[in-house]
Amino acid sequence: MAVYARGYRPYEGSFGGRSPVMAIFGQGFRNAIRTRSFKILGVLVLIFYVIFTIQMYVMLNIEEVVSEGFSRFANRNEPFDFATYTTRYLKQALMGFYGFVATVGALISMLAGAGIVADDLRTRALPLYLVRPIRPIEYVLGKALVLPAVLAIVLLSPGLTFYLFAGLWQPDGTTNEWLGNNVDILGNVIHSYLVASFGFTGLMLFLSARTPRRGTVMAIAAAVYFGGAMMAGLGSELRGVAQQALKHVSLIVNSVSAHVMAEAETDRWRNEAQMERFREEAPSPTIGMVVAIAVLLIGAYAVYRRARSTEVSE
Amino acid sequence: MSETPSIALTNVSKWYGEVMGLNDVSVEFGPGVSGLLGPNGAGKSTMLKVITGMLRPNLGTALVCGRKPFDNPGVMRRVGLVPEQDAFYPHAAILDVITYLTRLQGYDKAESRRRAMNNLERVGLGHVMDRSAAGFSKGMRQRAKLAQALAHDPDVLVLDEPLNGLDPTGRREYAALIRALGDEGKCVLVSSHILHEVALVARRLVVLHNGRVLAEGTAREIREDLSEYPLTVHVQTQDGEALAPLIVSLEGVGRIEHAPTGLIVRTTQPNRLFDEIGAMAAEGKVTVEALDPVDEDLEAVFRYLTQ
């Protein structure tokens, strides 16, 4: 049989082309943020954010309130310093804010991320990906970027703006100095966001790649999130290896560990012995990050296997 | 002029545990429409998955456009697949879905949208491109699947049971579209478990049974081979009483039974029956929802072929 006998022309184009990562990410992101659950929980975070911003404004700009804060310094015989006052206040405020919002972020990731791969399985769209020039790693990347982008809205941007507001509300000419001296706060915000987005994304990728049923994915994710938090609480009551292991099993608690440590070092835990005890009981931000990265890698591998072939059972 | 076939399988075997999907299959497909015929479980879907890179053969070599398709995304730039099952996000407009799928081929958004629109027009869905596929009829969904497969202008087009569930008129229109693609020089591979369906579109047929290639030839050759063997056809219609007297005198028709969903017709010339009923439906004499050979009967035909 002659291949060109009936007008067939040999393919002369490239085997390359634009990477589909951004297209996959864009589609997933649009699907995630148009869910009702994201909108409702997003509004909840927004309300919380506005309340915190107003409170922060009051705490840093209303003279009577600032004076009262300074009097606490005086009672402890500490030198009067608006920059230190701001730092302490902000660290405590971030702990309070993220203590609540990290849980909301977990809920958002659960609701918006349940279908991230499961929808492709349920609608049988996966074969349509597999017959397109997409490398499995591109599919994984496109999917893995969705939740970090969603969580950046609710977890990263508030912390960044609080940090900037605190700098802007310093006395004239000292904004840059304050921002520079308190870059650890910025680091804590980013650390907290990364631990949350890695951990939550990994969990949702893993579960979503295992079953096409969103309900099943959400139920298991809820069990992991809230069961993990309970186990971490239990772990802090124990001692030894069990304590070290259990206190790091909660993705939510791990995500706020940097803020917890920062808050502890400011006001309540000035005694070094108490601080040492606290470090034993609270999860380590470093180990929390390692756990989150491990969960992300496991989730990414589960999706990679899905994206490589329909032979997932092999 | 090259003699290289667009699809070449050489001694390909594929098994799932202890179940053989394909057993030492060697077959080639070039430009034009080819049919892959076989009963359910014959290995058709396995062969299509091997060709489209979704499965890796355990033994042998599969080449598409001269390259191994498994884990080779570059090959997929030249391949389009119409899957058997519906594969669309139910809540998005079909234009958006196909635009997105075309972007995955490496085109930018504007070009992808243009291609999606053109191909939706081509398959006759231009007037509903802003609607979701959830509200589409079976025929419209089949056309939408074809549009997504065509949007990147592939050289190799694989259609898995594309005529399933279409009414006679829709089947004819869809078949004409497939034939036109073959005439353009694309390598079009159509799978079906219904001889009449593939005979509508394909000049060359490959018959699969139990994972092996059982026969190869033109539709006419295979049809002649089967001409003595009676086939039972289920005619799904509300007009059974009006249709029965019209077809009872057709050559080859042996027995007609009334069933709750229409008529059960036994014939040695199923193609004639399909053509005549299709023509009656087109003229408006009767309304026919579907024409399908009864599966158990098709199994018997394949047993007959293996004897």
Side-chain angles (χ1 to χ4, degrees):
Chain A
M1 182 183 289
V3 172
Y4 308 141
R6 291 162 58 213
Y8 177 78
R9 285 174 291 105
Y11 179 76
E12 290 169 351
S14 160
F15 276 95
R18 281 167 179 261
S19 167
V21 171
M22 292 316 290
I24 297 171
F25 160 69
Q27 173 79 2
F29 184 72
R30 278 190 297 276
N31 283 346
I33 62 171
R34 74 177 166 211
T35 57
R36 187 179 299 172
S37 52
F38 175 80
K39 288 172 184 163
I40 292 170
L41 292 172
V43 167
L44 189 64
V45 173
L46 181 66
I47 292 169
F48 213 58
Y49 172 75
V50 170
I51 291 170
F52 260 78
T53 306
I54 294 169
Q55 186 190 36
M56 192 173 164
Y57 178 83
V58 170
M59 294 298 286
L60 299 182
N61 292 281
I62 305 299
E63 200 169 321
E64 292 80 4
V65 179
V66 175
S67 300
E68 193 181 323
F70 287 168
S71 67
R72 293 214 303 267
F73 282 72
N75 292 342
R76 294 176 195 146
N77 296 321
E78 289 184 49
F80 176 90
D81 181 351
F82 185 73
T84 308
Y85 166 77
T86 304
T87 301
R88 288 187 178 184
Y89 168 74
L90 184 59
K91 285 183 175 177
Q92 289 173 10
L94 288 173
M95 171 58 219
F97 181 81
Y98 282 106
F100 172 73
V101 171
T103 305
V104 178
L107 284 174
I108 286 176
S109 74
M110 194 173 86
L111 296 166
I116 203 160
V117 178
D119 283 352
D120 291 340
L121 301 177
R122 194 179 65 257
T123 60
R124 301 189 185 95
L126 194 61
L128 296 182
Y129 283 96
L130 295 177
V131 294
R132 283 179 161 73
I134 301 171
R135 291 176 184 81
I137 193 70
E138 291 174 322
Y139 180 81
V140 175
L141 268 177
K143 295 291 184 184
L145 287 172
V146 172
L147 281 181
V150 171
L151 293 173
I153 300 170
V154 291
L155 294 183
L156 183 60
S157 56
L160 293 181
T161 53
F162 289 150
Y163 170 71
L164 288 174
F165 287 155
L168 290 171
W169 290 334
Q170 293 304 299
D172 289 345
T174 60
T175 292
N176 289 342
E177 185 187 348
W178 187 90
L179 290 174
N181 289 339
N182 289 280
V183 79
D184 62 313
I185 294 177
L186 180 64
N188 289 341
V189 168
I190 294 171
H191 182 282
S192 173
Y193 159 73
L194 290 178
V195 171
S197 61
F198 289 170
F200 298 172
T201 298
L203 177 68
M204 297 316 298
L205 287 178
F206 178 78
L207 296 177
S208 192
R210 305 298 293 180
T211 172
R213 296 186 185 87
R214 292 175 68 111
T216 306
V217 174
M218 285 193 273
I220 298 174
V224 172
Y225 282 139
F226 300 111
M230 288 169 68
M231 288 174 73
L234 178 67
S236 66
E237 301 297 322
L238 302 174
R239 289 291 173 269
V241 178
Q243 180 195 45
Q244 290 303 314
L246 283 180
K247 73 179 185 181
H248 292 109
V249 297
S250 171
L251 297 173
I252 298 174
V253 177
N254 285 349
S255 77
V256 291
S257 59
H259 294 304
V260 171
M261 286 294 178
E263 193 262 355
E265 284 166 2
T266 55
D267 206 27
R268 286 183 4 228
W269 302 91
R270 285 180 296 138
N271 179 304
E272 191 52 41
Q274 285 176 309
M275 199 56 214
E276 192 55 41
R277 177 76 184 272
F278 181 85
R279 287 196 190 100
E280 268 183 30
E281 292 178 357
S284 148
T286 307
I287 296 177
M289 176 67 89
V290 171
V291 170
I293 290 172
V295 173
L296 178 65
L297 291 176
I298 292 169
Y301 180 68
V303 179
Y304 179 87
R305 276 177 61 78
R306 275 289 186 200
R308 189 150 186 264
S309 162
T310 56
E311 287 179 291
V312 288
S313 59
E314 281 195 350
Chain B
M1 185 173 288
S2 167
E3 295 293 328
T4 309
S6 304
I7 300 169
L9 273 59
T10 310
N11 304 116
V12 167
S13 293
K14 176 69 200 173
W15 53 82
Y16 308 93
E18 294 180 356
V19 178
M20 284 300 275
L22 290 175
N23 189 351
D24 197 28
V25 169
S26 293
V27 65
E28 294 179 348
F29 301 100
V33 185
S34 303
L36 191 58
L37 183 67
N40 292 328
K44 301 187 301 293
S45 292
T46 300
M47 185 189 276
L48 297 189
K49 284 179 177 174
V50 167
I51 290 168
T52 52
M54 286 189 234
L55 294 179
R56 176 166 42 191
N58 294 103
L59 290 175
T61 309
L63 295 176
V64 175
C65 301
R67 293 186 175 206
K68 290 183 181 177
F70 184 80
D71 212 7
N72 190 350
V75 173
M76 294 305 132
R77 225 167 275 286
R78 304 177 61 179
V79 176
L81 170 70
V82 176
E84 180 183 2
Q85 292 159 320
D86 290 340
F88 291 125
Y89 300 111
H91 304 300
I94 195 66
L95 174 62
D96 293 337
V97 174
I98 297 180
T99 299
Y100 168 59
L101 291 170
T102 310
R103 283 186 73 194
L104 299 181
Q105 294 287 353
Y107 297 106
D108 64 32
K109 198 171 182 179
E111 175 65 9
S112 300
R113 195 170 179 82
R114 188 187 68 76
R115 284 172 175 266
M117 289 172 78
N118 288 348
N119 282 284
L120 281 166
E121 294 280 359
R122 182 177 189 181
V123 300
L125 293 180
H127 60 297
V128 290
M129 63 172 72
D130 293 324
R131 280 173 44 189
S132 147
F136 282 7
S137 68
K138 178 77 180 172
M140 291 162 85
R141 289 200 294 272
Q142 292 285 28
R143 285 164 184 272
K145 284 191 281 183
L146 182 59
Q148 64 78 28
L150 288 174
H152 57 290
D153 193 23
D155 299 318
V156 174
L157 193 60
V158 176
L159 300 97
D160 195 359
E161 306 272 0
L163 302 176
N164 253 6
L166 295 183
D167 60 42
T169 310
R171 198 174 291 217
R172 281 184 183 198
E173 289 173 2
Y174 200 102
L177 203 53
I178 294 172
R179 283 196 300 269
L181 293 166
D183 290 340
E184 287 174 15
K186 293 184 189 300
C187 171
V188 184
L189 183 57
V190 179
S191 90
S192 176
H193 62 283
I194 300 169
L195 173 61
H196 176 74
E197 277 190 1
V198 274
L200 264 180
V201 294
R203 298 179 189 183
R204 175 177 170 243
L205 302 181
V206 171
V207 182
L208 272 184
H209 188 58
N210 285 340
R212 284 181 174 276
V213 174
L214 190 64
E216 272 187 79
T218 63
R220 180 186 291 271
E221 286 165 355
I222 290 179
R223 210 182 292 146
E224 281 170 2
D225 205 15
L226 296 175
S227 63
E228 296 305 314
Y229 197 90
L231 189 77
T232 304
V233 177
H234 176 212
V235 185
Q236 201 176 321
T237 176
Q238 302 286 327
D239 300 333
E241 293 200 3
L243 182 62
L246 296 173
I247 58 173
V248 72
S249 57
L250 286 180
E251 198 177 334
V253 172
R255 194 175 69 200
I256 299 175
E257 289 172 32
H258 286 274
T261 52
L263 298 175
I264 305 292
V265 183
R266 197 146 174 89
T267 175
T268 55
Q269 296 194 18
N271 297 305
R272 176 98 187 255
L273 182 74
F274 278 95
D275 289 344
E276 291 290 340
I277 292 179
M280 288 174 199
E283 289 167 14
K285 289 182 182 171
V286 287
T287 304
V288 177
E289 282 129 34
L291 281 169
D292 291 309
V294 177
D295 263 350
E296 303 82 51
D297 234 58
L298 197 70
E299 283 288 348
V301 170
F302 283 97
R303 278 200 300 276
Y304 162 77
L305 266 178
T306 56
Q307 286 166 5

